């Protein structure tokens, strides 16, 4: 029993952190939102060089969640879950370039189909290549969602589980970043003659975010370990991670906005990129209600008698 | 990164499981806060000790098994899964013993640890005072030097001492140097609760039972041999257990995982009506969501603990993470029991183990340092936010 990241896994996370912290990802996200994909695709290529696009097929789900937590922390735009988690498992091979997929009912649109080299629709009988239809905007301005022809539901298989887990890890990273930025702000913003972070009403809210994120992370790692084996309870572990990360990140977003006050409510301030992405990912790849239902069904099928 | 137990850990788990299956009383024991229940709980402690299951992580010389931290967590999981009785000796074992191992003399270790392990002597923690709760360092009970008799004379009052009603020994802090600043000049004493000058007055709790008591000291003599650590160093000595209390030792995940399993069972069986009223329906109530969320919190706590155990085994320290832990387990305990009461419908007010558990869970956010104090600690020591104007927290 060693429920901690290994040296190599830590080093991999640190390398991504170094790459992303120097990449001005807020500017990348803003450009992506406005339809200028160039900075985002450049960053995509650099992350691919670090191996992020081959993790699903060549490494373990633990490495996948490390990478997606980093992508979340830096709010990196693009169809990462689709291209680097779902499709490699569904196709059985690494994706060349950028691809995307719609997997109804939990991921009914093809994310960022306008930049993808290939667009797929997942159904009960596997993948088909499709031509995307109308575009919808998302609460997260960097997510461009495209209609695809209707199809029967895609199975909740290994590709789906890895995608839901990658989304959970992204939420964890997003939440961590919002907390860190909010703590920094609370230490520096002064009202009534002292830092707002010295007020207990603020401290306790931020402490609750710290607690929520601290207890969401082990569920992400636990689900990654059980997907790697894989064990029978792996889907339930994935749902557990998705629910808890969604709740924790959402708490971080609400708290982060409140502590920032009006500046946090502006689009110009970078926080907006993080909190709108959190809102979008809470329902992406399985809503909280869906995942709670999956947990309840699994629990009542198994325990007691 | 893995969650697999080693061969020897699996063997330990199997041995514990088999022993518990053969020995756990078939009927739950009466409450330990009654005279009858107290005696039966002490008998249970003795039975555990006889086969070296009362203090698995202690050295063999003191009835232990030299078990690793991982094995201790495994044992706790098996213990609660087997439905074994609550530990009447827990304050001694989890809060005092680590300090006696670290700061006690060999004589103190030999005198106090074996009878603690067998349950012969049950210890009460005498820290809180009427005027010193969250602000523990403001305590007023005094210790006066008595060179003639080679010891100290205690005066004052302690309160909310769990199990002091029936316990035989107490441990607590007293102000031994009135001149010194708040946290200095405190000394850590061990004393028999039937010593001359000690009066114990039971206090009935929410459920009517005398689970704690106030303790009065009227010129109580304590010899130097029963001072734990150096005189004047009591705060530092005591704080090495505060971390234990909030952190791992007092509330291992096993008890919550076992309760979560029972909650799921209750949910399955409560698909039937309660006394003519329909069972809470998923369409019209939050009860299914609450069952999932309570289970999720327990599962998160289990996995979080494996991470903590790995870090501690690697030489890491609990530190302020104990405060994160404390808020979590106390709120988790309430979530589990509130949800069970929701499921019981109108029967929730009737006497049951769920109701007992609920009543006890309500005190979780208060004892072991209130959750407000824990959140202050998290904000200041983990997040690095500015300190409270008067930095006086334990
Ligand atoms: C079931 C139970 C068992 C116990 N067992 C023991 C025992 O065995 N031994 C023992 O010594 N003690 C024991 N206690 C006492 C426990 O440690 C104290 O109750 C606790 O430290 C809080 O102190 P208090 O009750 O005086 O509350 P107070 O300190 O008066 O606090 C009252 C309220 O004010 C809040 N508050 C206080 N200070 C601050 C602050 N700085 N910032 C924000 N909020 C603040 C608190 O959080 C709380 O909500 C037990 C208590 C219970 C309920």
């Amino acid at each position: 029993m060693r429920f901690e990241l290994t040296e190599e896994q830590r080093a991999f996370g640190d390398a991504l952190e170094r790459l992303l912290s120097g990449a001005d990802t807020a500017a990348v996200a803003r450009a992506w939102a406005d339809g200028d994909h160039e900075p985002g695709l450049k960053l995509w290529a650099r992350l691919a060089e670090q191996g992020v696009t081959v993790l699903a097929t060549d490494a373990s789900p633990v490495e996948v969640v490390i990478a997606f937590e980093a992508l979340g922390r830096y709010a990196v735009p693009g169809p990462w879950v689709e291209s680097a988690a779902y499709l490699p498992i569904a196709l059985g091979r690494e994706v060349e370039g950028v691809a995307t997929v719609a997997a109804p009912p939990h991921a009914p649109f093809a994310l960022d189909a306008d930049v993808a080299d290939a667009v797929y629709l997942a159904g009960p009988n596997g993948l088909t290549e499709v031509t995307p239809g109308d575009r919808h905007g998302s609460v997260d301005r960097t997510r461009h969602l495209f209609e695809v022809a209707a199809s029967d539901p895609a199975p909740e298989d290994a590709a789906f589980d890895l995608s839901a887990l990658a989304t959970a890890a992204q939420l964890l990273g997003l939440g961590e970043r919002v907390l860190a930025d909010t703590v920094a702000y609370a230490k520096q913003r002064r009202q009534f003659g002292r830092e707002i972070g010295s007020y207990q009403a603020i401290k306790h809210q931020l402490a609750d975010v710290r607690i929520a994120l601290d207890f969401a992370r082990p569920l992400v790692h636990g689900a990654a370990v059980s997907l790697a084996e894989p064990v029978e309870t792996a889907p339930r572990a994935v749902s557990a991670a998705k629910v808890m990360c969604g709740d924790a990140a959402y708490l971080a977003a609400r708290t982060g906005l409140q502590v920032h006050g009006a500046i946090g409510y502006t689009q110009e301030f970078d926080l907006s990129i993080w909190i709108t992405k959190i809102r979008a990912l809470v329902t992406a790849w399985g809503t909280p209600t869906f995942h709670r239902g999956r947990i309840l069904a699994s629990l009542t099928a198994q325990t007691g008698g | 990164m893995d969650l697999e137990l080693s061969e020897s850990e699996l063997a330990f788990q199997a041995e514990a499981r088999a022993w518990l299956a053969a020995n756990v009383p078939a009927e739950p024991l009466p409450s330990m806060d009654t005279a009858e229940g107290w005696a039966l709980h002490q008998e249970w402690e003795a039975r555990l000790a006889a086969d070296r299951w009362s203090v698995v992580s202690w050295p063999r010389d003191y009835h232990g098994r030299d078990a690793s931290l991982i094995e201790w967590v495994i044992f706790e999981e098996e213990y609660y899964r087997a439905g074994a009785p609550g530990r009447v000796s827990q304050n001694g074992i989890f809060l005092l013993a680590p300090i006696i191992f670290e700061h006690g003399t060999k004589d103190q270790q030999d005198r106090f640890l074996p009878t603690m392990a067998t349950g012969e002597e049950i210890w009460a923690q005498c820290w809180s005072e009427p005027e010193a709760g969250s602000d523990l360092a403001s305590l007023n009970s005094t210790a006066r030097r008595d060179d003639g008799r080679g010891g100290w004379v205690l005066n004052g009052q302690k309160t909310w001492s769990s199990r002091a009603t029936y316990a035989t020994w107490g441990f607590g802090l007293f102000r031994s140097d009135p001149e010194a600043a708040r946290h200095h000049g405190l000394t850590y004493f061990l004393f028999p609760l039937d010593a001359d000058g000690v009066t114990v007055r039971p206090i009935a709790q929410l459920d009517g039972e005398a689970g704690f008591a106030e303790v009065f000291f009227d010129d109580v003599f304590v010899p130097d041999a029963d001072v734990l650590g150096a005189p004047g160093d009591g705060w530092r000595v005591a704080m090495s257990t505060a971390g234990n209390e909030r952190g791992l030792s007092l509330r291992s995940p096993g008890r919550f995982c076992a309760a979560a399993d029972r909650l799921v069972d209750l949910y399955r069986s409560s698909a039937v009506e309660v006394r003519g009223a329909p069972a809470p329906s998923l369409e019209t109530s939050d009860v299914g969501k609450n069952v999932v969320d309570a289970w999720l919190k327990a599962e998160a706590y289990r996995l979080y603990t494996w991470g903590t155990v790995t870090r501690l085994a690697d030489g890491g320290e609990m530190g302020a993470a104990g405060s994160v832990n404390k808020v979590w387990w106390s709120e988790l305990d309430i979530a589990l029991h509130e949800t069970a009461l929701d499921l019981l419908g109108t029967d929730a007010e009737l006497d049951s183990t769920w109701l007992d558990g609920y009543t006890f869970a309500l005190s979780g956010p208060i004892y072991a340092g209130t959750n407000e104090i824990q959140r202050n600690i998290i904000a200041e020591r983990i997040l690095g936010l500015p300190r409270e104007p008067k930095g006086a927290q334990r």
Side-chain angles (χ1 to χ4, degrees), chain A residues 18-222:
Chain A
R18 274 193 303 277
L19 190 167
L20 289 168
S21 63
D24 194 358
T25 53
V28 173
R30 287 186 192 288
W32 193 276
D34 295 340
D36 172 10
H37 296 124
E38 192 157 320
L41 290 174
K42 270 201 192 125
L43 182 59
W44 188 290
R46 291 179 64 202
L47 286 163
E49 264 166 45
Q50 293 277 324
V52 174
T53 51
V54 301
L55 296 174
T57 46
D58 294 6
S60 86
V62 178
E63 278 76 20
V64 174
V65 298
I66 292 170
F68 275 88
E69 186 180 338
L71 293 174
R73 183 170 283 127
Y74 288 93
V76 175
W80 281 100
V81 170
E82 293 70 14
S83 208
Y86 193 96
L87 287 171
I89 301 293
L91 293 165
R93 60 169 169 79
E94 165 197 352
V95 167
E96 291 291 332
V98 180
T100 193
V101 62
H106 304 300
F109 303 109
L111 175 64
D112 295 324
D114 50 346
V115 280
D117 305 315
V119 181
Y120 296 93
L121 172 63
N125 304 315
L127 295 170
T128 41
E129 274 207 63
V130 292
T131 315
D134 289 350
R135 180 182 135 170
H136 298 281
S138 156
V139 56
D140 172 4
R141 294 178 62 248
T142 70
R143 282 168 66 85
H144 303 147
L145 302 168
F146 290 81
E147 293 270 1
V148 290
S151 96
D152 289 331
E156 288 155 29
D157 55 8
F160 172 78
D161 279 331
L162 191 67
S163 304
L165 181 59
T167 308
Q170 241 179 316
L171 281 160
L172 185 63
L174 286 154
E176 285 286 358
R177 173 63 178 272
V178 170
L179 175 61
D181 285 0
T182 306
V183 165
Y185 185 75
K187 285 199 231 183
Q188 156 254 306
R189 171 77 173 165
R190 297 173 68 89
Q191 289 292 285
F192 302 101
R194 50 175 171 133
E195 305 92 334
I196 58 170
S198 70
Y199 293 111
Q200 224 175 61
I202 301 281
K203 279 186 183 172
H204 286 196
Q205 290 190 59
L206 293 173
D208 280 337
V209 177
R210 180 67 274 152
I211 295 167
L213 292 166
D214 275 352
F215 282 90
R217 174 168 290 101
L219 288 176
V220 170
H221 290 161

Side-chain angles (χ1 to χ4, degrees), chain A residues 200 204, chain B residues 91 95 124-136 159-163 205 211-212 245 360 363-373 376 388 393-394:
Chain A
Q200 224 175 61
H204 286 196
Chain B
N91 277 8
L95 308 183
Q125 181 198 40
C126 300
W127 283 11
S128 303
E129 295 184 5
E131 299 304 324
S134 300
D135 188 8
L136 184 63
T159 191
W160 319 130
S161 271
S162 292
R163 287 174 284 288
Q205 298 184 332
F212 48 30
E245 186 175 10
F360 182 66
S363 65
I366 301 172
Y367 69 81
T370 68
N371 284 9
E372 287 73 24
I373 298 296
N376 288 349
E388 289 293 291
Q393 295 159 22
R394 52 197 249 207

